[in-house]
Amino acid sequence: MKKIVAFIFLVVFTISLKAQLPLIPKPNSIKPSVGYFVINKSTGLFSDKVASFEMKYLNDELFLRTGIKLHSSNSKSNSIKLIIHKNVDSLSDLYHLEVSKNGITISANNNAGVFYGIQTLLQLINFDKKQSLKIQYVEIDDTPRYSWRGMHLDVSRHFFPKNFIKKYIDCIAMYKMNVFHWHLTDDQGWRIEIKKYPKLTEVGAWRKGSMVGAYSEQKFDTFQYGGFYTQDDIREIVNYATLRHVTIVPEIEMPGHSLAALSAYPEFSCSGKPVNVGVSWGVENNVYCPSDETFKFLENVLSEVMELFPSKYIHIGGDEVPKNEWVISPLCKDVIRRENLKDEHELQSYFIKRIEKFVNSKGRQIIGWDEILEGGLAPNAAVMSWRGIEGGIAAAKQKHNVVMTPGGYCYFDHYQGNPQNEPLAIGGYTTVEKTYSYEPTPDTLTVDESKYILGAQGNVWTEYISTTKHLEYMSVPRMTALAEVLWSKKEQRNYTDFVSRLTLHFKLLDSLKINYSKSIYELTTKSIANENNNGLKLVITTPFDTTAIRYTTDGSVPNFKSLKYVKPLIINESKMVKAAYFENGKMKGNPVERKFNLSLSTGKKIELVNQPSEYYKGNGAFTLVDGVNGDPLKHGFNWLGWSGRNMDAVIDLGKTESFSEINLTAVNKPESWIYLPKQILVYISNDGVDFIKVATQSEEVIQKSNGKIKIGCGNIQSRYVKVVAECLGKIAEGMPGAGENAWLFIDEISINK
Ligand code: TNX
């Protein structure tokens, strides 16, 4: 009998040892062992003198979560000890955490390491106050992968109060991130007090209204809106962040995105004309003029900024600078001549280099958006790569430091779930899974070049985010996914494992009153070709229990008694599939909907001459014939996107078919640089080799179509159909993204009788 009991005990224990520890980011090495240490009122707390803040922090956080306040004691047993090793390489933020029968020890080389060990310990504590504070015996060794583990916040488009900024920093610190990029100025508001130029906040911090709803609707309210941080506020926040091992990198935008500053001091623009703080979102033509007076002004501003922020890097913006004003300005012509510059692009580069010289003279470095590469990079500048990763790659090859923040993975203002269920967002589709799949070091870099990739950062632009609740919802949990990407070893990354730990965090986030999104429960669907390219199969997946998926095909919302998903669904007629994930009889997250419209081309073989962008490659070429029309609001999902290139697709209908019409959809969203195609051409062939043109659709008709494009082609009989949608090419002056390659977004080519 005793033997059986011992055996059962061993089995139960082995199983529980294998259970997930709710740690995010996942530590490098975790060795659990049998037994628990219990924190109680007589547990002592001891720390080296240098870690006195960390000791207080731990005690306060423990109290918050458990109601227990520990007393200071250095007893050998029943204590928590924080130890900083002396005489070792203090640059490395590693820590060692040991929970054993005598208590808990966190040791590290520096305060940051101790702080990270504390974060791990806090995550090991059961978040439910009523539970006993049992912590499983474990030994953890851990160290970060990247040195820049950042989160950004735009406080210009919408202003967020000081106490919320602290909560945001707490959240950053909780997931062992260490940079807060604070976007303090933009067209729609200047948010930092500058003593020498009081009008920056008296005038520049207030706008006469805000955009309401989607950009395309062009609706506005007329409420005065604004706010700013005083220098005392800033000092308080910098101190708060520093203690939590978070460096604040302030951003002062130049030469573009500066309308708010110019509304206060119009003399620093080229025209000198009075302007108002921006009310609409987008890119403004009014930018700083490169006069000596402007440089003096910016140097004075930056001097005060550098006094307030001790960070090595100062972000000077540099993105989206329309050259319209510079092209017509006599002063710019003079500067171009005087400095021997080729054009306005080199003038932008001159602008940034001159600012860099000043910032360097104060012992600091500049970092700017990847546009600062254009016309030649300033000698010591670091680059933040946002328009994809190419800017980052180019900068690393030139031996410049890089922070990666490509839109498709790191923009947390994008949709994270089906837009039908989400609050209005700027567009895009960046799920938690997509963020989690991000690899910051491009494989095209050599080992040496890779050293310049400092890390990555999640960006939270706030055009469409006006409340702290909404802001939390957009940031969490995507930031936890990025935190793991940036901290944990690459080989350790596993999405299913990550989400199972993340669900354990929801309780903690609830108790901290953080309003997180539950989009991880939203099912993923993928259409694949059925046998012999006859119709489709719909594969539905979840990182959770696949047997808990239910679906309907009659348009009704699924419940836990609906059909159980057991294998891919065969789709051979037009219908609506709705599916959801259930736990204990309750739907988790939102249901997904796939509305199938079958045509001759659905599920057929398709090949592309030009591959779409790495970021918008959907489910490959098959996306175009998967039976589901892309949602124009969700241009990152179920769409293929090309930058500056044509869509050129060949569909094999399998046998000769008769048809008379081709339908295809394109996104029209100039504010995101996505433009309708210039022209569409249709060719046919019976051997797939020699094609003849049978139809075109003109620019005029396409422009009027609002994206739903029909191409009539008479009565045709053919097996192969080639459809070419011509990309607009370079965007014209005066349009959003002028001078850049236009994006072309296409979905679903349906060929109809
Ligand atoms: C582009 S990212 C911008 C921002 C917008 C953002 C919206 C960057 C350097 N510039 O001004 O807020 O897109 O996603």
Side-chain angles (χ1 to χ4, degrees), residues 154 157 183 186 251 253 257 282-283 319-320 369 371 386 411 413-414 426 459 461-463 673:
D154 165 14
R157 275 56 177 268
H183 186 80
D186 212 301
E251 180 179 356
E253 274 268 22
H257 287 281
V283 178
D319 61 314
E320 300 178 320
W369 301 107
E371 282 92 334
W386 74 281
Y411 270 40
D413 55 339
H414 289 181
I426 198 160
N459 289 350
W461 299 102
T462 58
E463 286 96 330
W673 310 352

Side-chain angles (χ1 to χ4, degrees), residues 100-130:
S100 67
K101 72 176 190 315
N102 290 333
I104 300 170
T105 308
I106 294 172
S107 54
N109 290 349
N110 57 25
N111 293 62
V114 168
F115 187 77
Y116 297 137
I118 289 173
Q119 294 307 332
T120 299
L121 172 59
L122 291 170
Q123 292 188 6
L124 285 174
I125 293 170
N126 196 310
F127 310 133
D128 196 338
K129 273 191 189 173
K130 285 166 228 107

Side-chain angles (χ1 to χ4, degrees), residues 240-284:
Y240 189 87
T242 307
L243 287 168
R244 286 157 182 76
H245 304 281
V246 172
T247 301
I248 305 188
V249 174
E251 180 179 356
I252 305 295
E253 274 268 22
M254 63 188 79
H257 287 281
S258 47
L259 200 59
L262 295 175
S263 73
Y265 298 97
E267 59 268 38
F268 302 128
S269 74
C270 284
S271 72
K273 283 195 201 121
V275 285
N276 290 321
V277 179
V279 165
S280 169
W281 321 133
V283 178
E284 288 292 333

Side-chain angles (χ1 to χ4, degrees), residues 185 190 194 196-197 200 251-258 261-262 265 268-269 287-306 314-318 326 348 350-352 354-356 358-359 362 366:
T185 73
W190 182 282
I194 300 293
K196 208 175 173 92
Y197 301 102
L200 282 173
E251 180 179 356
I252 305 295
E253 274 268 22
M254 63 188 79
H257 287 281
S258 47
L262 295 175
Y265 298 97
F268 302 128
S269 74
V287 303
Y288 289 123
C289 202
S291 65
D292 287 346
E293 292 74 20
T294 304
F295 283 110
K296 194 74 226 155
F297 162 76
L298 287 171
E299 287 173 15
N300 288 334
V301 168
L302 287 171
S303 294
E304 288 193 32
V305 169
M306 287 187 274
I314 302 294
H315 203 301
I316 48 73
W326 286 2
Q348 152 136 358
Y350 162 77
F351 197 112
I352 303 293
R354 188 158 160 182
I355 291 293
E356 178 183 71
F358 176 75
V359 172
K362 304 272 174 191
I366 63 161

Side-chain angles (χ1 to χ4, degrees), residues 686-701:
N686 277 324
D687 57 6
V689 180
D690 295 319
F691 283 89
I692 53 165
K693 190 159 90 191
V694 289
T696 41
Q697 193 51 284
S698 67
E699 188 165 10
E700 206 191 337
V701 175

